[in-house]
């Protein structure tokens, strides 16, 4: 507790686990933290449980909450993204003054953030949409933080966020992403890459299981992979989840979990945005659709009843070779997903004039967030060394993909022949082969479009748009 005259450097509205952990994180770094929750009992519970951890100013009303904050006031809203955020903004802004800062730490859609930022800017208030990644533990011990909003607001807010963020060699995993919705956009794409990462991991598990490895054996494989260039949070926890034995049945827990993946929507938003921006993110799209298909019981029942195919038995003579091939496929597909996600951020940054620094994005994703991985230091270095059209053209990345591709192709071919679905591995490989192809069958697509819709086509040998008189003498005219 703190004396009533003290002023808080930051205030948190919304004291569910994420909000209260974030408040505790600020307090553990020596900041005085104002607290408010619509249900006062929640605030009281938090003070009983954690009040001794640091300097908290628990406020029963929003007015008292705002009054306890030093200027410029920094108000962090930690409520479920959606209408609730707008409601809290409307309630709290009445008590704020020009120059004060409202921060939305939820997984809001970046277009909502752009709308809110514009409206509040007109009222003299700063609105900062920030991604906060790392789950409940990250909020408490050090998340990766991706703030947007005005550069001016970052001057007042950034040092506190950097203070509580995860660190790599002392460097905070927090940096100014760009104006208005840039922060929430970067977080959205982080989640899109997270979906793809998790899909590839699931496919690796599926292929190795089809080859006869038990969950415990696959767990050991992932534990070993986590010591090399696949070193990452998701690989690490995969080993933990696969090792877990279900107390009720004595079976591996993963074998008694319902095989229908759910999704709160950030992966879907990533793909919707990519379609609007015209950025191919087929690995992320396949991971979203894989979740949708898994969660479609009627479709799957009909498929199981009607469709024949191989029985998934993967006959392998040399298990270690298969394990090595799957590792190569997993690493390669992961690189493609990062390349696609970062391409989407770069394209959005150009579209919305955000000026996002991709090397900075990779730098702050190195720790704290769900996709934290050793690979991100390498990606940071490649983008810091010079602008890339795609991560795949970075010399060392391209060389490693070149060496890994035979194994990658073997895994896709083996799985496909055995009837083991690998939509993620396949999509990543198709993207790899598409972007490197000197000639694509899109030419035939253009011919077909011109045949039925007179949509015209270009020619390889001269500029202009052309149309063939398909229903006439089939001569070609310049459009
Ligand atoms: C994070 C997580 C977090 C949330 C996931 C779950 O960065 O800390 O990504 O945002 O746990 O978004 O989302 P799904 O339910 O869509 O998988």
């Amino acid at each position: 507790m703190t004396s009533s005259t003290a002023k808080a450097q930051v205030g948190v509205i919304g004291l569910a686990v994420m909000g209260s952990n974030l408040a505790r994180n600020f307090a553990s770094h020596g900041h005085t933290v104002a607290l408010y929750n619509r249900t006062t009992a929640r605030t009281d519970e938090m003070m009983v449980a954690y009040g001794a951890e640091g300097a908290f100013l628990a406020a029963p009303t929003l007015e008292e909450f705002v009054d306890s904050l030093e200027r410029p006031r920094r108000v962090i809203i930690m409520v479920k993204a959606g209408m609730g955020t707008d409601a809290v903004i409307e309630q709290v802004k009445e008590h704020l003054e020009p120059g004060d800062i409202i921060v939305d730490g939820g997984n809001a859609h970046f277009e909502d953030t752009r709308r809110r930022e514009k409206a509040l800017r007109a009222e003299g208030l700063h609105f900062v949409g920030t991604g906060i990644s790392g789950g409940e533990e990250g909020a408490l011990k050090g998340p990766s933080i991706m703030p947007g909003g005005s550069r001016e607001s970052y001057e007042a807010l950034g040092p506190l966020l950097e203070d509580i963020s995860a660190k790599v060699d002392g460097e905070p995993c927090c940096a100014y992403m760009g104006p208005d919705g840039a922060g929430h956009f970067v977080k959205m794409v982080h989640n899109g890459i997270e979906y793809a990462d998790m899909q590839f991991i699931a496919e690796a598990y599926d292929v190795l299981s089809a080859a006869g490895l038990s969950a415990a054996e696959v767990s050991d494989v992932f534990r070993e992979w986590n010591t090399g260039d696949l070193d990452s949070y998701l690989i690490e926890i995969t080993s933990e989840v696969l090792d877990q034995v279900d107390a009720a049945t004595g079976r591996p827990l993963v074998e008694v979990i319902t095989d229908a993946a759910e999704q709160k929507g950030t992966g879907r938003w990533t793909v919707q945005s990519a379609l609007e921006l015209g950025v191919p993110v087929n690995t992320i799209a396949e991971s979203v659709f894989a979740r949708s298909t898994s969660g479609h019981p009627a479709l799957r029942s009909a498929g199981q009843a009607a469709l024949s195919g191989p029985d998934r038995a993967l006959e392998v003579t040399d298990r270690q070779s298969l394990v090595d091939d799957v590792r190569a496929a997993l690493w390669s597909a992961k690189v493609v997903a990062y390349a696609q996600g970062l391409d989407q951020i770069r394209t959005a940054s150009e579209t919305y004039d955000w000026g996002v620094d991709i090397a900075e994005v990779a730098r702050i994703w190195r720790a704290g967030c769900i996709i934290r991985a050793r690979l991100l230091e390498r990606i940071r270095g490649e983008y810091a060394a010079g602008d890339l059209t795609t991560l795949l053209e970075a010399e060392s990345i391209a060389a490693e993909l070149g060496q890994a591709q035979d194994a990658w192709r073997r895994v896709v071919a083996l799985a496909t022949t055995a009837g083991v679905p690998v939509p993620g591995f396949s999509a990543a490989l198709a993207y790899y082969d598409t972007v490197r192809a000197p000639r694509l069958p899109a030419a035939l697509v253009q011919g077909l479009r011109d045949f039925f819709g007179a949509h015209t086509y270009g020619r390889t040998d001269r500029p202009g748009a052309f149309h063939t008189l398909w229903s006439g003498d089939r001569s070609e005219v310049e459009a």
Side-chain angles (χ1 to χ4, degrees):
M1 287 297 285
T2 307
S3 71
S4 60
T5 56
K7 285 288 185 186
Q9 287 78 49
V10 65
V12 177
I13 298 177
L15 299 176
V17 180
M18 282 294 287
S20 65
N21 280 0
L22 202 69
R24 293 169 61 196
N25 190 343
F26 280 115
S28 70
H29 285 82
H31 302 294
T32 300
V33 187
L35 303 174
Y36 174 80
N37 194 80
R38 188 180 53 187
T39 310
T40 311
R42 179 73 197 111
T43 312
D44 299 341
E45 285 163 19
M46 183 180 163
M47 289 305 288
V48 167
Y50 308 114
E53 287 182 358
F56 295 109
L57 299 177
T61 67
L62 266 182
E63 190 167 10
E64 289 167 276
F65 168 82
V66 170
D67 286 348
S68 69
L69 285 164
E70 70 183 26
R71 299 294 316 278
R73 299 184 182 91
R74 308 167 185 92
V75 175
I76 301 182
I77 299 174
M78 292 298 288
V79 299
K80 189 173 180 308
M83 306 281 280
T85 307
D86 286 310
V88 173
I89 291 170
E90 287 309 306
Q91 291 158 16
V92 71
K93 75 175 188 182
E94 300 310 319
H95 307 287
L96 298 177
E97 296 168 85
D100 287 346
I101 304 165
I102 300 178
V103 182
D104 175 9
N107 272 340
H109 192 286
F110 77 100
E111 291 288 16
D112 286 339
T113 300
R114 282 164 55 83
R115 165 178 58 81
R116 291 166 177 151
E117 194 275 337
K118 184 178 179 184
L120 289 166
R121 180 165 13 107
E123 300 182 45
L125 295 171
H126 295 286
F127 183 72
V128 173
T130 185
I132 299 177
S133 179
E136 295 166 0
E137 186 175 335
L140 179 62
K141 297 178 179 171
S144 168
I145 307 176
M146 300 150 253
S150 63
R151 171 74 70 177
E152 183 190 343
S153 65
Y154 193 80
E155 283 159 23
L157 181 67
L160 277 96
L161 296 180
E162 291 177 14
D163 216 8
I164 68 161
S165 72
K167 304 292 188 300
V168 173
D169 303 330
E171 282 187 354
C173 288
C174 172
Y176 177 66
M177 294 287 100
D180 59 74
H184 271 147
F185 189 94
V186 169
K187 175 58 167 71
M188 175 188 76
V189 174
H190 162 279
N191 283 32
I193 293 171
E194 173 189 302
Y195 276 46
D197 229 340
M198 293 166 74
Q199 177 62 26
F200 301 145
I201 285 170
E203 291 178 15
Y205 157 70
D206 205 16
V207 169
L208 293 176
S209 301
L213 277 76
S214 67
E217 288 171 320
V218 181
S219 170
D220 290 340
V221 167
F222 274 89
R223 190 172 292 108
E224 200 281 326
W225 285 348
N226 200 44
T227 62
D229 57 11
L230 280 174
D231 173 11
S232 61
Y233 173 69
L234 286 173
I235 295 287
E236 176 192 344
I237 67 170
T238 296
S239 174
E240 298 299 318
V241 171
L242 289 175
D243 234 1
Q244 183 67 16
V245 173
D246 173 45
T249 61
R251 293 174 57 197
L253 176 64
V254 68
E255 293 175 7
V256 295
I257 291 176
T258 305
D259 65 339
E262 297 173 3
Q263 47 190 317
K264 290 194 183 69
T266 45
R268 182 166 56 243
W269 291 348
T270 306
V271 179
Q272 288 167 338
S273 157
L275 289 170
E276 290 296 325
L277 292 167
V279 178
V281 295
N282 63 331
T283 56
I284 299 173
E286 284 296 344
S287 66
V288 173
F289 288 135
R291 292 197 186 192
S292 305
T293 310
S294 73
H296 202 319
L299 172 64
R300 293 182 59 190
S301 302
Q304 288 170 52
L307 303 176
S308 63
D311 63 358
R312 292 171 48 88
L314 254 174
E315 302 301 329
V316 286
T317 50
D318 180 345
R319 261 188 183 184
Q320 191 53 48
S321 293
L322 175 66
V323 166
D324 295 342
D325 281 359
V326 173
R327 192 209 62 77
L330 180 54
W331 184 86
S332 304
K334 184 185 180 93
V335 169
V336 170
Y338 277 90
Q340 293 183 345
L342 294 173
D343 185 15
Q344 183 174 354
I345 293 173
R346 186 172 52 80
T347 305
S349 180
E350 289 163 2
T351 304
Y352 298 107
D353 195 20
W354 284 334
V356 176
D357 179 340
I358 301 294
E360 275 294 86
V361 172
R363 183 183 68 76
I364 68 171
W365 282 353
R366 292 180 299 170
C369 63
I370 301 295
I371 63 171
R372 58 186 183 265
R374 183 185 301 185
L375 176 62
L376 278 155
E377 172 48 35
R378 199 162 159 198
I379 293 173
R380 183 203 61 75
E382 295 292 1
Y383 276 98
D387 192 26
L388 296 168
T389 303
T390 169
L391 173 64
L392 304 187
E393 69 175 330
E395 194 176 335
S396 71
I397 296 280
E400 252 183 84
L401 286 170
Q403 287 156 9
Q405 65 171 308
D406 289 347
W408 189 4
R409 296 179 192 283
R410 283 195 294 269
V411 169
V412 170
L414 206 56
T416 306
T417 306
V420 178
V422 283
F425 287 164
S426 308
L429 185 56
Y431 181 84
Y432 177 85
D433 283 335
T434 298
V435 297
R436 69 184 190 84
R439 185 99 173 113
L440 290 170
L444 177 57
V445 170
Q446 286 293 83
L448 297 172
R449 291 178 70 247
D450 190 55
F451 189 104
F452 62 69
H455 292 298
T456 74
Y457 51 82
R459 290 179 58 92
T460 55
D461 53 8
R462 60 184 191 279
F466 301 89
H467 168 60
T468 293
L469 303 174
W470 298 103
S471 51
D473 62 6
R474 301 223 165 172
S475 60
E476 181 179 83
V477 295
E478 190 149 2

